[in-house]
């Protein structure tokens, strides 16, 4: 796997993750602070979540994910 592959990886905002989990975006941020979800920070300090990790977490939990606005199931 090259560095270019990880750069092209799809990242989600807390609001998009919240939609998938059917919770408030502040809950997603709290989960990240507690270490339940891994996040990365943008240069501006905003949290972003790797879509592949979120999808895997949802599958492991046995939850059917809602797709964030603008994305298609795939």
């Amino acid at each position: 796997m090259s560095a270019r592959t990880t750069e092209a990886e799809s990242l989600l905002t807390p609001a998009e993750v919240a939609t998938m989990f059917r919770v408030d975006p502040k809950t997603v941020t709290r989960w990240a602070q507690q270490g339940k979800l891994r996040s990365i920070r943008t240069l501006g300090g905003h949290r972003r979540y790797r879509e592949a990790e979120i999808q895997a977490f949802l599958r492991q939990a046995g939850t059917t994910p809602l797709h964030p606005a603008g994305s298609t199931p795939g």
Side-chain angles (χ1 to χ4, degrees):
M1 177 181 283
S2 70
R4 184 171 286 273
T5 303
T6 43
E7 288 178 42
E9 188 173 24
S10 181
L11 298 176
L12 302 172
T13 66
E16 291 170 330
V17 175
T19 298
M20 296 169 77
F21 280 98
R22 300 176 185 120
V23 297
D24 189 88
K26 289 182 181 182
T27 300
V28 175
T29 299
R30 190 174 343 108
W31 288 344
Q33 291 170 339
Q34 294 171 348
K36 294 178 181 179
L37 294 176
R38 287 184 16 185
S39 67
I40 47 180
R41 296 284 188 133
T42 65
L43 292 176
H46 300 280
R47 291 184 191 274
R48 295 294 180 264
Y49 303 87
R50 289 181 177 92
E51 184 173 17
E53 288 181 13
I54 298 300
Q55 294 288 349
F57 185 83
L58 285 166
R59 279 192 301 275
Q60 181 183 14
T63 304
T64 303
L66 292 178
H67 297 281
S71 75
T72 56

